[in-house]
Amino acid sequence: MKIGIGLPSTVAGADPTLIAAWARQADTGPFGSLGVHDRLLYDSLEPLTTLAAASAVTERVDLACLVAIAPLRPAALLAKQAKTVDALSQDRLVLGLGLGPREDDYQVSGVAYALRGRIFDQQLAELRMLWRRADLGPQRGRSRPKLLLGGGSDLALLRLARYADGYVHNGGPARGFRSAADRVMSAWSDLGRPGRPELWGLGYFALGPGAYEEGRRDLLAYYAFTGGFVSRIAAGLLASPEAVRDFTRDYAESGCDHLILFPTVARLEQVERLAEAVALL
Amino acid sequence: MTSRALDIAVVGGGPAGLYFAVLAKRANPAHRIRLSERNRAGDTFGFGVVFSENTMGFLTEQDQQSYPAIMAGSRRWDPITVIHRGEVVRCGGVGFSAIERKRLLNILQDQAADAGVELLFQAEVSDLSSFDGCDLVVLGDGVNSLHREALAPEFGTYIEHGTTRFTWLATTKAFDSLTFFFERSDHGAFGVHVYPYSDERSTFIVETDEQTWLRAGMDRFSEDDTIVYCEGLFANHLDGHRLLSNRSLWTEFRTIHNRRWHVGNRVLIGDAAHTAHFSVGSGTKMAMEDALSLTQQLERLGSEVAPALVAFEAERRPRVEHIQRMAATSFDWWATFRHYVDWRPRQFAFHLLTRSQFRYDTLKLREPAFLEAVEEEVGTDWIPSRSVAVSDRGPAALHLLGPAAVSPEGRVSPSDLLTEGWGDRLKDARARWPERKLGIQLRHAGPRGACHDRAEGLDDPLPQDRNWPLFAASAVAFGRGFPVPAALDAAGMEKVAVDFRTAAAEAARLGFDWLELQFGHGYLLASFLSPLTNQRADVYGGTMENRLRFPLSVLAAVRQAWPRGRMLAVAISAVDCAEGGATIDDAKVIAGRLYEGGADVITVLSGQTVWRSVPPYGRVFNMLAAGKLRNECGIPTMCPGGITDDDDVRSVLLSGRADYVRFDSASR
């Protein structure tokens, strides 16, 4: 299993100029990827443009968008942007797409929340055709980025097996990841796809003195919209090297291929601290 | 943050209404909460209620006040006990608790009074207009909710009526755990669910199918008749103890669904909003979770009622629907257990426990000793001989190659195997898996065909300059971007049957031991079988008999060329997994006719017959359908789908739900 680190692009109050330094440092470290989340109405950065910036200062790591809320974006523009970041980074983009749970992001985009599933279905079919078009450049590199889909419904699994290269989980204990992965695999086999889908997981960390409280506040703010569930998300915050070790070991044993740990504290020393924790594995 | 004070009316003093009143008043003592209950404080019906312990865990986290008191008044136990044909089979590690319903209500009534809820008993609410001035009206008036019925069109209420008959009794015998037992009378098979709820009482639910119930004359039974009949039938389980009744009428279970749980400021909670068959023991749990969720959403949204009701439904509906799905499969077991009552006791118990949420792997974590007992009874040596592989994964006695197209225009993708390629594949497979027998699957593209190879994705039609003509039962495109297939004509049918027969003859000549015909998943023969894709007006469309006609003639053609003594399997999409599509009842007829028509075994698939069909993916997801065809219709089945390890194999084979299992190609 490869371990990646998130960029602090959805940590409220983070200094945007931190992104480049963070990405540079992660590229030298033990990490396999850099991850970003997507949210419109929040003190956060847009994911694909953030990854474009990261691509300019990195050479090695995968650039993982976990996940872009597809229906908020026109399919053709999304296809173009994704191809652009993939070309800029020399085939390092991992494009996770999803629906996102927040109605306000849809409202501000003028997209009907109630139609999001139908729009998404159409977009996935369009993206496949758009990426194959000879007149939609850039034409260097591969024809499309690696595509991941998330979601836990049977329909989401069907979409994944129909269109994508892998699965991205929405966080939480490895137990949940494991049963989700079993369902993903069953859809993949049932639809006769060769090989196996890549499995991506994610978690949240805050390491070092005082970081736990800060990180917890960040998660409570970011996930406040989930209601009673937010306390469970915050309870999963990895606040010690031991917690990081146990979490990554459980995910590795559950068949995860790439695990990205997202920061909840926007200080550069967090990269170093996570690198040290990961080095213990 | 303190939320705005609300004027709240709660209708119904069952667990849902009472618990909501308690929690909401505690969360914000400034709320005015009036609860109206039509009965007196001490009146209650239904003996004890049961909770599955691990699912109650989250109440422990969220509610430090009521939950400990409820648990203190409860009986708790760990195992499920199945008593069958004289043997007592136990499976531990499950964890349940039960409490007398009256006691639960008393605890909640006391807490409501302490919190400052206005409790009005013997207060029939005939008309909600008396609450017009309230900010929120919570309808917790139970499964027969009058107020839901009055607003049925607005709530979008629909009710599923169960096919069994059951009655709630109690007994003075305190059983030591959740216990199931089964007896045959002259009239048919009866099953009993029992659980203790105090030191001298157990809830005792008797269930049977409608025919048995009618044969026994129970439609005319008084409560006393029921007691006499059941005390006689279950005498050897009761040790001289009595059965007790309390409005114990025979009834059919009604599963309540509502498309909306709230209309204006009126919201349904608990049984009024949703029910799930009692065999999963979730009714009270769901009611209490509803109460907690509604309270939390009101608090979180600063007492803004409209968004809180939206958030409440959004949070609760998926969980409730999940339980309702589980309950539906559990209920189906109770509606069909008469087919299994002659099974050996441990396999019977394993079949019962794996009817819904448990599988071999989940039970292994809880009680390995139970599985060992099952394996001792059923044996395990035979398992590899019933396992089929499509990759290295095994052990398996048979390896299935393909899928192979019976003709170039029958290919689904350009790289599909054609007969010319079989010899090489066969040689490779023999070298690689010398211990496995070899089989091959044959198919012909239908509405689904002429697609890119699957490495990049599925259902991705080739551009016009690279595709080939598609044929189907009717000229209906499979989905977005697919060309419209031509409806197969008489000459086309003739050619397809000949192609299948020729391919089967070639497979026989090459020495394949097993042949499988793909009649499912949206290919040519599936398009005839499914009512969603067959719109023909001739003798090949319309009735089930007509839709079967061409598939049966292809099977007959293959049967001519394929030697008796070598296995011939036919794969069908047993359920279309799409609205208006084929159901398991259709599959019983289809599988039966194919079996009579010469298939030795039916491979049970789900869906993929139309673009929008969505199968219930997960481990062993075709297992229940395979089991129904095998055990209710006597048709040998092969079960593929969500099988990646030995635990999955055992889930299916030890529970007697299929004769063969097939490993998936991919695993974690």
Side-chain angles (χ1 to χ4, degrees), chain A residues 212 216 219-220 229-238:
Chain A
Y212 173 73
R216 188 179 149 77
L219 281 183
L220 290 175
F229 205 66
V230 65
S231 57
R232 285 213 250 177
I233 297 173
L237 180 63
L238 307 172

Side-chain angles (χ1 to χ4, degrees), chain B residues 434-574:
Chain B
E435 76 290 359
R436 294 180 181 174
K437 290 185 167 188
L438 295 170
I440 191 161
Q441 190 201 69
L442 303 180
R443 72 180 177 194
H444 191 295
R448 206 179 195 193
C451 287
H452 286 278
D453 287 330
R454 297 187 180 201
E456 296 276 306
L458 181 71
D459 297 330
D460 188 4
L462 288 164
Q464 274 183 358
D465 56 333
R466 289 172 56 206
N467 70 5
W468 50 87
L470 295 179
F471 298 95
S474 301
V476 182
F478 182 70
R480 193 190 307 278
F482 275 85
V484 177
L488 200 63
D489 60 15
M493 286 189 208
E494 175 73 27
K495 178 177 184 322
V496 168
V498 168
D499 287 342
F500 267 96
R501 190 179 66 210
T502 309
E506 177 65 3
R509 189 187 69 78
L510 287 169
F512 281 104
D513 300 295
W514 183 296
L515 190 67
E516 180 173 271
L517 310 179
Q518 174 57 282
F519 281 16
H521 275 184
Y523 305 113
L524 182 63
L525 281 310
S527 75
F528 279 83
L529 291 174
S530 171
L532 296 175
T533 47
N534 186 334
Q535 300 173 356
R536 298 175 75 104
D538 61 6
V539 294
Y540 298 100
T543 63
M544 170 75 83
E545 208 49 40
N546 281 356
R547 284 183 274 133
L548 270 160
R549 197 178 306 275
F550 179 56
L552 283 171
S553 72
V554 170
L555 175 60
V558 167
R559 201 61 269 190
Q560 287 170 9
W562 183 250
R564 291 271 165 199
R566 290 198 224 173
M567 291 294 275
L568 177 58
V570 178
I572 59 168
S573 292

Side-chain angles (χ1 to χ4, degrees), chain B residues 358-377:
Chain B
F358 292 143
R359 300 178 305 259
Y360 186 94
D361 57 304
T362 46
L363 290 170
K364 191 163 79 174
L365 294 173
R366 295 161 190 269
E367 179 81 300
F370 166 67
L371 297 174
E372 280 165 27
V374 173
E375 286 170 358
E376 185 190 83
E377 182 193 80

Side-chain angles (χ1 to χ4, degrees), chain B residues 336-448:
Chain B
T336 52
F337 71 83
R338 64 184 179 280
H339 297 286
Y340 307 94
V341 286
D342 296 327
W343 283 22
R344 287 175 292 174
R346 297 175 196 174
Q347 186 175 35
F348 177 86
F350 184 59
H351 187 265
L352 164 60
L353 292 179
T354 53
R355 71 192 183 278
S356 171
Q357 70 266 50
F358 292 143
R359 300 178 305 259
Y360 186 94
D361 57 304
T362 46
L363 290 170
K364 191 163 79 174
L365 294 173
R366 295 161 190 269
E367 179 81 300
F370 166 67
L371 297 174
E372 280 165 27
V374 173
E375 286 170 358
E376 185 190 83
E377 182 193 80
V378 182
T380 54
D381 305 349
W382 52 280
I383 287 177
S385 72
R386 300 302 185 88
S387 301
V388 178
V390 294
S391 66
D392 279 328
R393 192 166 303 112
L398 176 74
H399 191 97
L400 199 59
L401 296 176
V406 296
S407 63
E409 70 275 14
R411 286 172 303 158
V412 176
S413 303
S415 64
D416 275 9
L417 201 57
L418 290 165
T419 25
E420 302 83 69
W422 293 4
D424 291 341
R425 289 288 187 97
L426 192 63
K427 211 189 305 171
D428 291 348
R430 281 210 174 109
R432 192 154 172 197
W433 299 290
E435 76 290 359
R436 294 180 181 174
K437 290 185 167 188
L438 295 170
I440 191 161
Q441 190 201 69
L442 303 180
R443 72 180 177 194
H444 191 295
R448 206 179 195 193

Side-chain angles (χ1 to χ4, degrees), chain A residues 192-222:
Chain A
R193 295 285 304 273
R196 68 187 280 283
E198 281 192 8
L199 300 176
W200 291 63
L202 59 90
Y204 296 93
F205 76 95
L207 294 171
Y212 173 73
E213 273 312 312
E214 217 176 316
R216 188 179 149 77
R217 273 198 302 278
D218 174 68
L219 281 183
L220 290 175
Y222 190 74

